[in-house]
Structures are given as structure tokens and as C-alpha cells.
Amino acid sequence: MASRSSSNRSDRQPLSGRTKPTSASRRSVTPTSRAHSFQADEDPGRVRVAVRLRPKNDEDVLSDDDFSDCVELQPELKRLKLRKNNWSSESYRFDEVFTETASQKRVYEVVAKPVVESVLNGYNGTIMAYGQTGTGKTYTLGKLGKGDAAGRGIMLRALEDIIGNISTSSDTIEVSYFQLYKESIQDLLAPEKTNIPINEDPKTGEVSLPGATVVKIQDLDNFLQLLQVGEGNRHAANTKMNTESSRSHAILMVHIRRAVNEKVNFGINSQEKGSISDLFDGKDIPIVRKSKLLIVDLAGSERIDKSGSEGVLLEEAKFINLSLSSLGKCINALAENSPHIPTRDSKLTRLLRDSFGGTARTSLIITIGPSARHHAETASTIMFGQRAMRIVNTVKVKEEFDYESLCRKLENQVDNLTADIERQQKLRDDDKYELEKQLRECRENFAEANKILVTRSEQQQLEKATYQKVLADTTQMYEKKISELIKQIEDERAQSESVEEQLDLMKKLLSENQKSIQNHHMENSRHQKALAGTTQIYEKKIAELVKQLQDEHAHFEVAEEQLDLAKRLLSDHQKTIQGQKESDELELKFQEMYQLQENTLHELQLLKSENKDLLEEKATLNEKLDSVSQRLSEEEKQRKAIENELVKLKRAVPENDNDFEDKTSYAKEDINKQSSEFGNRSGSYRSNQLRGTLSRQRATIAKICEEVGLQKILQLLASEDSDVQIHGVKVVANLAAEDINQKRIVDEGGLDALLMLLRSSENTTILRVASGAIANLAMNEQNQGLIIDKGGAQLLAKTASKTDDPQTLRMVAGALANLCGNEKLLLLLKEDGGVKALLGMVRSGSSDVIAQVARGLANFAKCESRGIIQAGHRTGRSLLMDDGALAWLIANSNTASASTRRHIELALCHLAQNEDNSKDFISSGGVKVLFGISEESSREDIRNLAKKSLRLNSSLQAEMHMQW
Ligand code: ADP
Ligand code: MG
């Protein structure tokens, strides 16, 4: 009951309350024309008031016999005339005026149905009956109409309409039924619940009874039963309280909750709607209309004393009527637009707060009786109705978002989402666990790897450092070695320069040593001999002396025996006093013998001491001998060391001839040496310097030859002047060292000139250089035949026999050795005395000459064996055998020079391949030597060749098996 009145309500119109609520219900409720008039008002929010006149009852008929009715109804005018007295009356206009014959149905449709429709459309609604007790309030509202359906009151009909117009699936109807008596609310559906408190929503002002029973209505029968129960409980309660039902207010509270399908936009700002809409995935937000219908059967409006209640104290009566009088005051205040509406004065006014001056659509039916006896009460009731009619409510649809549904949906969503989150959380947890596990493993692996890395890195560092150190050391070592080697090379160069000197020195030293050793040996043997003689003499003497001593000793013993005998005889004589004379003689003799013995002992002593001296001397001599022997062995060792050194030095000095088969290298080099003999004689190795010098010399010679002409140079060889001859032959020799010149030299008679020199000259140099030149020409196979044909072999042999100059012999031997390499010429060479001359040259003792001899023999033997193997026809004993070559080879097979030994070994191997040489081999002990070569030769190819020769030659093999 807000402070609103019709006078100032024009500017405060309810949102939808001004329009007649359109029927949204499925069952059309068609009001009658009169009912329509009840609503066709300028102000739909105004409280509609209808008046109903009860028919006269028996009591009325009886008591009012003499009186006319106090009211006169003008239903068509919706007016009621209240008779004041017999001559005047007051007319009141109502929204509807029901005569005593008005049917329950019409009353419902006119008074209640508009309200019910409003309630179905979401407005709160109130239908209230006000009137004196017995005027038909309960009849109008609560009649059940058990026997007569037409008698059913508003409650049943309203619920019937509501039930018929809602969807039982989406909408709900809930009912509470209670009574208010003496400001106490009692639940009529659960009468034990009394004094139920009223709850007012401070925001919406909605009033509710949270303690009251709320029953959900499914159908009308259900509701009918409820009403019956409520009615029964109301009756029972009033009996118990010793009250009449007329003194209590009965209130049926119907809550309707309807889901709204159409889009509704009730003042929700777009932002709020959007945020809510988001929760519903953009669908419409569910809207619900929650309306409340109050059907209030008020207590009788008459004064208490008038009601005939007995035994009720005044204060109690006041209390009983508090709610009703409070309602009257509020209605008055509202009607008079009073600033203060005492809504809170009673529970009834609190409960009806929305019904009067609130948002509800309210219809009031005031019931009056016809009897004049109750004029005052009737007038009062009419005035109450008149005032109520002036009240204008601001009807307002009770529509709101369906927060419950929303909440449920949201809860569902939340549940689903929670479940999803939980699932995802579980997955995430699993993932997390897995990841953590992996992370852990990774960390462990990383740590492990890191550790390994660190260890490796340390190792590598260490290794690196070690390598670097080793590298540095190695580098240093190699650098040192290189420098040493360089130094060594330099030393060797220097050494090699003095090698020959050293060699000579060594040889001298060696021969001296050998001589000294020989002397020592001789001396030693002399000493030993002397010592032996002396020893023998002394031993003899000692033996003699010993013998003498023994003899003397025997004598002495004999003498002693004789002395004993003499003594015995003497004593005998003394005893017999005879033989004094004899005794003296014996005494004398004894003294003589004693003297002799003394002398002998002395002599023995002397001999002993002499013997001792001799022994000492012998020991000294032995010591001397030992020391001499030791010195000898040391010298022997030294000698061997020197020999070794010599061998080494010789090896270190490059060999003149690296291959026995190479006919060219030897002689060329020799001539080179020859031609440079006035320069560097130590050039036994191929130094670049020497080569350079030689090539320069040759270039000069070639130039001279070109300018002068070979013919003229050759003419020099025939000069009378030996110096000219020497220079000429040197030039020719140098030219002959070059292959390209050889043919020209021979063609232009150079060979003849050279042979002429060999034949005629006695000059050593000329012989040497000419031999060298021939040796060079003899390198060429074509020239070899020419040389033999021209008697070159004989001339070379002659030259060899008439000189002892080792250099000349070397050249001659070299030339012959070259000729030995031509298998076609072997026989001629032998017949011309070439082989014999070659072997004869070994007398020189020069190792260089011997080397050439060995090379020649090797070449010869090889040519022979080649002839045997290739041609197969040449048999017979080797041509070398006659001249003692085999014996020399065997004898010199152990020579110190490596190259010579190699040639000798090869010669032996090749000779051994010829079965016809076997006899000579066996007889001269060559098999053993050959076997030695096969085992010990420094060259593998020679070892293999020796093995092959032994294997192929069955006689040698047989001999070998026989020997081992
Ligand atoms: P109240 O509730 O106002 O005290 P009730 O409804 O109990 O009055 O009515 C008193 C008596 O009058 C009841 O017996 C009832 O049947 C009767 N009555 C009331 N109104 C009518 C009516 N319009 N038509 C017939 N009888 C009525
Ligand atoms: Mg009643």
C-alpha cells in the first residue's frame, strides 16, 4: 500500500498495467459485456470494487418484515442507493453491482477473471472480499460447490482457469493457505504451524511466508482437496480457539511461475544482457514470470460488540480487529492521497501491501446484506468500497530472468565444464608427470653427458697437451736430428775428403799393428820358449837336487844306522873295553858325515831359494804374457773396429758401379774422375758441384771440338810431343764419355788412334787416359766388336801386363769388364788373353781394380749362363775355368767391398747354373760358398739366385745333400 492515489497517478503509469492485459492464455476467457465494463476503465491500475448483495435469509425475512431494504441496487447504472431514512438515500457508483440473484459464475468472471488473467500474464493480483459477517464473503470466494457446480466460488474457478491456462511441464502453481487471527498467522495446510513470520524482500517489496506450507498444484482435484483440508483446519482451529471464523482472515496465496517463450526486453541494459547471453551461447535468456494471486476472505467488518461475540475483552477485541482497522486506515490514507500509509501497522496490511497502492491488479468485492438492521455496517462497507475504488495501483508485470533455470543451466554447464576441466587437469597432470619424468631423465642424461663431456674434454685437453708436447718434442728431436744429419753430412763430406788419407793412415796403422802384433807374438813365443826352457832346466835341476837330497837323505839314514851300529859297537867295545881306536875312527867318520850332511842341507836350502826365485820369475813372466795377450786382443779388437770402420766408410762412399749390368755408368764416372784429377781428387761421390764442373768442362770440350774439329783433335794423338798427346787423349776421352760422340769418334778413326797409343806409348798418363777412353767406347755394343776385331783385347792385356799403376789397371780392367758383357765376343776375348789379363790384374791389390775384375767375371759368367739358358746349345765347361777364375772367386767371395762381393757372388751363381762347371765347383769347395751366399748374401735377389742355382744344378744339390 504505497502512497499512491488516483489523483496523482496520471504521471506514474505502470509499464503494462495501463493496457488491458491481453489474453496470452491458451484458453480464452471471454468476459460478458458487463464483465467487460468492469474493466473498461480509463485506469486499469485502479482497484476495482464490486458490490454483491446477499439474498435475504430467513432471519432477514423474519426481522425485517416491517422494514424495506436499506439498499436499492441499480445494476445497469452500477449504482447502489443506500437508504438513509424513509425519504432520503445516497447513491454510490461501483465498478459492478451484483444483485442477490447474481450467479457465482458471473461474479467470478466480472470480478475475478480479469485479475486471474493478469496473474497469468505475470502481474500480481488480489481478489478480496470485505463485508459484514454473514454477507457472503466466504460464499463468494471459498464455496466449494460440492453438490452444485454452479455454486463454486472464486477460489475454485480461479484455480480452474489458472490450471487450464498454464503448461504443466514448464509452469508451476504453488499454493499456501493460511489464516490471520489476532495478528498470528496460522498455516491452514499444517495447522501446527502458527505465528508464521512475514518476510519482505527489501528490494522488490515482495511479501512471502517462508514458514508456510507450499503445495504444488497439479490439477483441480488436487486443489479442491487442499481447500477442503484448509477449510477443515480453519473450522477446527476456530473451535479450539473458541473463536468464530468470522473473526479471522483467510488468505489463499497462489504462486504462479511461467516460462516466457517470446523475446522480452524488460529494461535490461545491453551490456548485462550480453554478458548473460554469453553464458547461453547467444541463445535467448530464459525469462520467467512469477506472479502471485491473493484471494483474501476477510474477517467480518462489523464491530465486535455488534458481532455478538461474548466474553471478549475490549483490548482483545481491538487486537482482533487490528488488521482490519489497519486496512481501513491504509485504504483511507491511499484514498486521500495521504503522505503516510500505515502499511506496517498490521500483518494484514503488510500482507496486502502490493494489493493496495502496489503493483497488483486488485478487485474488491464488498458483500452486503439487505437487512436494515445492519444499516450502519452496510454503510460502512459501502464507504470502504468507495474509498478503495479511488486507489490506483501501478500494475507491473512480475517478469524476471529465470535465474533459477539460468542457475541450473549454469550449474549444469559448470558441472560439465568442471568435469572437462578435471579431465583436462588429469591429462595435464599426466602430461606434466610425463614431462617432468622426461625432464628428469633429460636432466640426468644431460648431467651424465656433461660429465662424460667434461671427462672427455679433460682427456682431450690432456691428450692435446700430451700430443702437443710429443709434437714439440718430436719436432725438436727431428730438428735436432736434421741439424745433426746436416752436421753429419757436412762431417761426412769433410770426412770423405780425408777418407783416402785416413784410409792410407789406417792401412799403415793396420800394417804397423799387424807387424806389432806379429812382433808381440814372436816375442811372446820367444818368452814362452825361454820360460819353458828355463822352467825345464830348473825343474830338471830341482829334480836332480831332490834326487840328490833323497840320496843324501838315504846316505844320512845309512850313516845314522851306521852311527847307531857304531854306538852299539862302541858300547859293546866299551863294555868289552875294546875298540877305543875303532870308536875314534868312527867318531871322525861321523863328524865328516855330519859336515857333509850340513853342506848338503845348505846346498839344498840354496837350491830351494833359487827355485823360489825361478818360480817368481815364472809368475812375472806369465803376468807379462797375460798382459801382452790382453794388449794383443785389444789391438785385435781395435783392428777389427778399424776394419769395420773402413767397411762402413767404403759403404758410405757411394759405389762407383751400382749395377754390374750397367756398362755405361762405371766407365763414364771413371773418366770423369780422370778428367778432373787435376781438380778435385776426392770426388768419389757424385756431388752436384763436381757434376757442375764436369758438365762445364764437357761443354768447353764440346765447344773446342766444334771449333777445332774432331779430326784435328784426333791428329793430336799422333803428335810427337807427349804433352800434346796427353791433352789430346784427354779431350778424346771426355768426348768418348758422351754416347752421342762415340760413333763419330770411331767413324773418324778415334778408336784406331787410341789403340795406337796403347800399342806404342809408354807414358802412364797416356796409357791410363787412352784405356779409359777405350773403356768408354767399349760400353757400346757395336764398338765392342770393333775393339776385339782391331786387337783391342790383346792391346789391353798387354797394357795390363806392362804397368802396375792401379789407375791404369783400373781403366784396363774396366774396358775388359765391359767387353765381358758381350756374349758373342766371349770366346774371342778369352782367346785374346782378355780373361787371363783380367785375372792377372788382381795382383795390384787395389780394391778398385779388383772390383772391375769381379764385375768383368760376373758379366762373363752371366753372358755364359744366358747363352746356356737362352740358346740351350752352348754347353761345356766355362771359359773362365782355365784361367783359375773360379778359384779366385771362391777365395775372394768374402771380400770387404760390398760391390765386389756382389759381383763375385753373382759370378759364382751364374757359373753354378752350368752343370758342366759342377766338378770344378765341388772340387774347389764352391758348393759350400754358394750355399753360404744363398743364406747370407746382403742382397735378396742374389740369395734367391744362389738358391735357384743350387736347386737347378742337380750335381751341386747332390753334393750338398752328401755334405749336410
Ligand atoms: P460471511 O462469510 O460473510 O460471514 P457467509 O458466506 O457465511 O457469510 O454467508 C452466510 C450465509 O448466507 C450462508 O448460509 C450462505 O449460504 C448465505 N449466502 C450468502 N450469500 C448468498 C448468496 N448470494 N446467495 C445465497 N445464499 C447466500
Ligand atoms: Mg465467512
Side-chain angles (χ1 to χ4, degrees):
M1 292 188 194
S3 56
R4 289 157 197 168
S5 69
S6 58
S7 59
N8 63 354
R9 283 305 306 155
S10 58
D11 58 336
R12 291 192 280 127
Q13 298 300 321
L15 281 170
S16 58
R18 286 207 166 271
T19 53
K20 176 193 168 190
T22 51
S23 177
S25 59
R26 278 156 282 175
R27 205 183 88 175
S28 174
V29 181
T30 313
T32 60
S33 58
R34 283 175 289 177
H36 190 264
S37 67
F38 189 78
Q39 302 167 46
D41 193 281
E42 72 288 345
D43 195 342
R46 184 176 58 76
V47 175
R48 309 289 162 179
V49 181
V51 62
R52 186 179 194 185
L53 180 64
R54 173 178 53 78
K56 280 184 181 175
N57 57 22
D58 292 343
E59 195 186 335
D60 293 330
V61 173
L62 199 70
S63 59
D64 293 341
D65 235 357
D66 300 323
F67 302 98
S68 57
D69 290 344
C70 67
V71 289
E72 185 187 335
L73 303 180
Q74 295 175 303
E76 62 281 1
L77 298 174
K78 301 185 184 196
R79 285 192 164 273
L80 177 149
K81 276 184 177 176
L82 179 65
R83 197 187 295 263
K84 286 168 85 179
N85 45 47
N86 284 333
W87 57 90
S88 65
S89 61
E90 201 92 37
S91 177
Y92 298 99
R93 192 178 185 275
F94 284 95
D95 289 302
E96 193 59 50
V97 172
F98 294 111
T99 61
E100 63 274 29
T101 58
S103 69
Q104 288 281 69
K105 188 182 181 205
R106 200 166 71 82
V107 171
Y108 167 73
E109 284 180 346
V110 172
V111 175
K113 192 157 189 162
V115 178
V116 169
E117 282 175 350
S118 286
V119 168
L120 285 169
N121 286 327
Y123 301 88
N124 281 348
T126 307
I127 301 163
M128 192 167 76
Y130 183 90
Q132 193 184 359
T133 303
T135 51
K137 299 187 290 295
T138 305
Y139 179 87
T140 303
L141 296 176
K143 192 168 168 64
L144 298 177
K146 283 179 191 168
D148 177 18
R152 291 175 299 152
I154 286 172
M155 285 180 181
L156 265 177
R157 289 175 192 272
L159 262 297
E160 190 180 21
D161 261 356
I162 289 167
I163 290 166
N165 282 281
I166 61 151
S167 160
T168 46
S169 60
S170 61
D171 306 340
T172 55
I173 310 161
E174 286 173 343
V175 168
S176 295
Y177 195 21
F178 51 93
Q179 69 169 352
L180 174 64
Y181 176 66
K182 288 208 294 190
E183 293 304 294
S184 171
I185 296 169
Q186 184 183 21
D187 196 338
L188 289 177
L189 300 176
E192 68 280 2
K193 292 183 185 174
T194 55
N195 218 1
I196 293 166
I198 298 168
N199 190 31
E200 285 178 59
D201 191 329
K203 267 189 189 170
T204 59
E206 275 297 323
V207 176
S208 60
L209 298 173
T213 303
V214 177
V215 178
K216 206 169 186 175
I217 299 301
Q218 303 293 341
D219 52 40
L220 197 61
D221 285 344
N222 193 211
F223 179 65
L224 191 63
Q225 282 171 11
L226 267 184
L227 273 188
Q228 281 176 339
V229 168
E231 208 57 39
N233 284 334
R234 192 183 183 191
H235 180 73
N238 290 338
T239 308
K240 194 179 172 187
M241 289 185 290
N242 199 22
T243 59
E244 290 178 38
S245 63
S246 59
R247 307 266 39 108
S248 69
H249 311 283
I251 302 164
L252 179 74
M253 195 182 272
V254 183
H255 286 278
I256 298 169
R257 183 190 153 89
R258 298 191 76 187
V260 177
N261 293 323
E262 70 260 39
K263 282 187 181 179
V264 182
N265 186 355
F266 283 107
I268 305 162
N269 67 50
S270 59
Q271 201 180 348
E272 183 188 348
K273 194 173 179 182
S275 66
I276 296 167
S277 180
D278 286 343
L279 296 168
F280 283 83
D281 304 316
K283 290 174 194 163
D284 289 333
I285 304 154
I287 292 182
V288 69
R289 285 175 179 168
K290 284 169 43 178
S291 52
K292 184 174 76 181
L293 175 64
L294 284 178
I295 300 176
V296 184
D297 183 4
L298 290 171
S301 60
E302 73 279 12
R303 293 202 310 272
I304 291 170
D305 55 340
K306 192 93 194 258
S307 70
S309 302
E310 290 173 1
V312 177
L313 295 172
L314 185 63
E315 283 302 310
E316 193 183 0
K318 277 181 185 172
F319 201 58
I320 290 166
N321 244 357
L322 177 63
S323 280
L324 201 59
S325 62
S326 186
L327 177 66
K329 283 174 190 171
C330 285
I331 297 291
N332 283 346
L334 283 164
E336 287 162 21
N337 204 16
S338 170
H340 176 66
I341 314 299
T343 315
R344 305 198 63 81
D345 283 0
S346 72
K347 287 191 175 169
L348 182 65
T349 48
R350 284 170 70 193
L351 284 168
L352 297 174
R353 189 181 166 186
D354 195 42
S355 306
F356 296 96
T359 59
R361 178 175 292 280
T362 299
S363 284
L364 174 65
I365 181 161
I366 54 170
T367 53
I368 52 172
S371 174
R373 291 178 289 127
H374 305 297
H375 181 269
E377 266 64 42
T378 303
S380 165
T381 301
I382 286 167
M383 290 321 289
F384 180 86
Q386 284 293 298
R387 284 194 291 273
M389 271 184 77
R390 289 161 67 186
I391 297 170
V392 178
N393 290 346
T394 310
V395 289
K396 205 183 215 174
V397 75
K398 298 294 175 183
E399 194 172 55
E400 61 183 48
F401 292 112
D402 188 358
Y403 287 111
E404 282 171 28
S405 157
L406 185 66
C407 191
R408 270 199 306 280
K409 284 182 181 173
L410 288 176
E411 276 174 355
N412 277 343
Q413 265 185 338
V414 166
D415 284 345
N416 289 336
L417 288 170
T418 306
D420 277 345
I421 285 167
E422 206 178 7
R423 276 193 288 274
Q424 283 173 8
Q425 184 66 39
K426 180 79 178 72
L427 287 173
R428 269 202 301 279
D429 285 349
D430 289 347
D431 286 350
K432 192 182 164 194
Y433 176 75
E434 196 57 36
L435 284 170
E436 279 174 350
K437 200 173 148 194
Q438 283 175 4
L439 185 68
R440 242 189 342 266
E441 284 172 0
C442 279
R443 278 192 185 141
E444 279 167 18
N445 288 344
F446 177 75
E448 192 65 28
N450 202 24
K451 216 164 126 189
I452 291 165
L453 197 67
V454 168
T455 315
R456 274 190 191 161
S457 154
E458 281 171 358
Q459 276 177 353
Q460 279 173 355
Q461 288 284 333
L462 208 68
E463 277 174 14
K464 198 180 160 191
T466 314
Y467 285 144
Q468 278 178 344
K469 196 170 177 300
V470 168
L471 189 66
D473 289 352
T474 313
T475 310
Q476 211 177 351
M477 191 187 80
Y478 279 118
E479 277 172 359
K480 205 173 154 191
K481 259 190 185 168
I482 287 162
S483 70
E484 276 173 11
L485 283 169
I486 288 165
K487 198 165 171 284
Q488 210 176 329
I489 287 164
E490 281 168 3
D491 289 350
E492 276 178 11
R493 273 181 196 163
Q495 261 187 342
S496 63
E497 280 173 16
S498 62
V499 148
E500 290 200 359
E501 283 170 29
Q502 273 182 16
L503 268 173
D504 290 342
L505 202 69
M506 294 285 180
K507 277 175 192 170
K508 207 172 159 190
L509 204 69
L510 185 65
S511 71
E512 277 171 11
N513 277 335
Q514 277 173 338
K515 221 178 256 175
S516 151
I517 290 161
Q518 224 166 357
N519 288 341
H520 278 301
H521 273 305
M522 273 164 70
E523 206 178 334
N524 190 25
S525 65
R526 199 157 47 75
H527 278 301
Q528 276 181 334
K529 211 172 168 186
L531 185 67
T534 317
T535 311
Q536 213 173 356
I537 289 162
Y538 282 113
E539 275 172 356
K540 206 174 165 188
K541 243 182 193 178
I542 289 161
E544 279 171 5
L545 283 168
V546 167
K547 199 170 173 280
Q548 209 175 341
L549 196 67
Q550 279 170 350
D551 289 348
E552 291 295 337
H553 193 69
H555 277 298
F556 182 67
E557 276 176 350
V558 171
E560 270 184 337
E561 271 173 26
Q562 278 179 351
L563 186 64
D564 287 343
L565 194 66
K567 277 178 180 174
R568 243 182 355 253
L569 282 171
L570 184 64
S571 74
D572 287 345
H573 278 292
Q574 277 175 341
K575 275 176 190 173
T576 57
I577 319 166
Q578 285 177 354
Q580 183 65 38
K581 197 182 163 190
E582 200 178 344
S583 172
D584 290 341
E585 281 173 6
L586 280 170
E587 183 80 39
L588 197 70
K589 211 175 178 181
F590 174 72
Q591 278 173 354
E592 278 173 12
M593 282 178 81
Y594 187 75
Q595 189 64 45
L596 190 69
Q597 189 195 0
E598 283 288 301
N599 290 342
T600 309
L601 280 171
H602 182 68
E603 206 174 336
L604 186 65
Q605 207 67 36
L606 282 172
L607 280 170
K608 272 185 180 171
S609 111
E610 202 177 343
N611 190 30
K612 197 185 165 193
D613 289 347
L614 280 169
L615 283 171
E616 274 172 8
E617 198 180 345
K618 187 189 173 187
T620 314
L621 281 169
N622 274 335
E623 265 176 32
K624 258 188 183 173
L625 188 65
D626 283 348
S627 81
V628 166
S629 295
Q630 212 173 335
R631 238 171 65 204
L632 269 173
S633 74
E634 272 172 16
E635 277 170 1
E636 183 71 18
K637 263 188 209 163
Q638 256 182 342
R639 188 181 64 86
K640 275 189 180 159
I642 288 161
E643 277 175 1
N644 283 340
E645 195 67 27
L646 267 171
V647 169
K648 275 184 196 165
L649 281 166
K650 280 195 175 177
R651 277 180 191 162
V653 175
E655 292 290 343
N656 292 334
D657 178 356
N658 286 327
D659 195 333
F660 65 97
E661 284 179 310
D662 181 3
K663 294 179 230 171
T664 64
S665 62
Y666 149 73
K668 269 185 186 174
E669 191 177 75
D670 256 15
I671 297 308
N672 291 344
K673 263 173 88 177
Q674 191 71 20
S675 54
S676 62
E677 69 183 329
F678 305 111
N680 182 10
R681 259 198 58 85
S682 63
S684 54
Y685 61 94
R686 299 171 191 223
S687 75
N688 288 333
Q689 207 179 349
L690 183 60
R691 270 203 291 272
T693 314
L694 284 172
S695 67
R696 275 195 301 278
Q697 269 184 2
R698 289 219 182 103
T700 314
I701 287 162
K703 214 172 171 187
I704 290 166
C705 180
E706 235 171 67
E707 287 193 12
V708 177
L710 181 61
Q711 198 56 51
K712 280 189 180 169
I713 292 165
L714 290 173
Q715 280 170 10
L716 296 175
L717 304 187
S719 170
E720 294 292 325
D721 190 338
S722 62
D723 283 342
V724 174
Q725 278 185 315
I726 287 168
H727 283 101
V729 79
K730 277 183 182 173
V731 170
V732 173
N734 267 305
L735 288 168
E738 298 290 330
D739 291 347
I740 51 162
N741 299 328
Q742 287 179 355
K743 192 174 182 301
R744 227 177 113 205
I745 291 166
V746 171
D747 288 347
E748 297 196 22
L751 178 59
D752 293 322
L754 290 165
L755 290 171
M756 181 272 288
L757 285 177
L758 284 191
R759 195 175 292 121
S760 59
S761 181
E762 293 297 325
N763 184 300
T764 309
T765 308
I766 290 169
L767 288 176
R768 185 175 69 224
V769 179
S771 305
I774 290 166
N776 274 343
L777 292 175
M779 290 185 294
N780 190 317
E781 199 179 343
Q782 287 179 339
N783 296 342
Q784 287 166 354
L786 277 174
I787 291 165
I788 297 283
D789 285 346
K790 290 176 190 288
Q794 287 168 346
L795 281 171
L796 286 166
K798 193 184 143 201
T799 310
S801 68
K802 71 181 179 187
T803 182
D804 281 320
D805 172 45
Q807 297 300 331
T808 310
L809 290 176
R810 190 160 156 258
M811 295 301 137
V812 172
L816 287 171
N818 282 349
L819 294 171
C820 286
N822 191 325
E823 57 184 288
K824 293 170 192 161
L825 304 174
L826 295 181
L827 191 59
L828 287 171
L829 187 64
K830 154 102 172 92
E831 281 170 359
D832 286 353
V835 175
K836 196 176 178 185
L838 196 65
L839 278 163
M841 280 185 278
V842 302
R843 73 180 187 280
S844 116
S846 159
S847 60
D848 288 340
V849 177
I850 290 167
Q852 295 309 320
V853 172
R855 189 171 73 86
L857 294 178
N859 277 352
F860 202 105
K862 189 184 178 190
C863 285
E864 276 190 337
S865 74
R866 195 190 290 155
I868 293 160
I869 291 160
Q870 286 180 353
H873 61 276
R874 224 196 93 76
T875 50
R877 194 162 162 257
S878 168
L879 295 171
L880 293 172
M881 292 301 180
D882 288 338
D883 298 312
L886 182 63
W888 182 83
L889 287 168
I890 289 167
N892 289 278
S893 65
N894 209 16
T895 181
S897 161
S899 101
T900 305
R901 189 162 65 238
R902 204 162 72 235
H903 286 130
I904 290 170
E905 286 170 350
L906 280 162
L908 287 168
C909 289
H910 287 303
L911 286 172
Q913 290 186 355
N914 185 355
E915 285 269 355
D916 294 327
N917 294 335
S918 304
K919 205 177 161 190
D920 295 83
F921 250 90
I922 292 162
S923 66
S924 55
V927 182
K928 195 174 177 182
V929 172
L930 200 64
F931 180 74
I933 292 165
S934 75
E935 292 295 320
E936 288 162 16
S937 175
S938 61
R939 277 179 53 162
E940 194 190 1
D941 55 346
I942 296 174
R943 288 201 299 276
N944 291 337
L945 190 64
K947 280 173 192 162
K948 187 181 159 195
S949 302
L950 282 168
R951 197 168 62 244
L952 292 175
N953 191 324
S954 53
S955 305
L956 296 186
Q957 210 168 31
E959 171 68 14
M960 205 167 67
H961 283 302
M962 221 163 69
Q963 284 190 22
W964 295 284

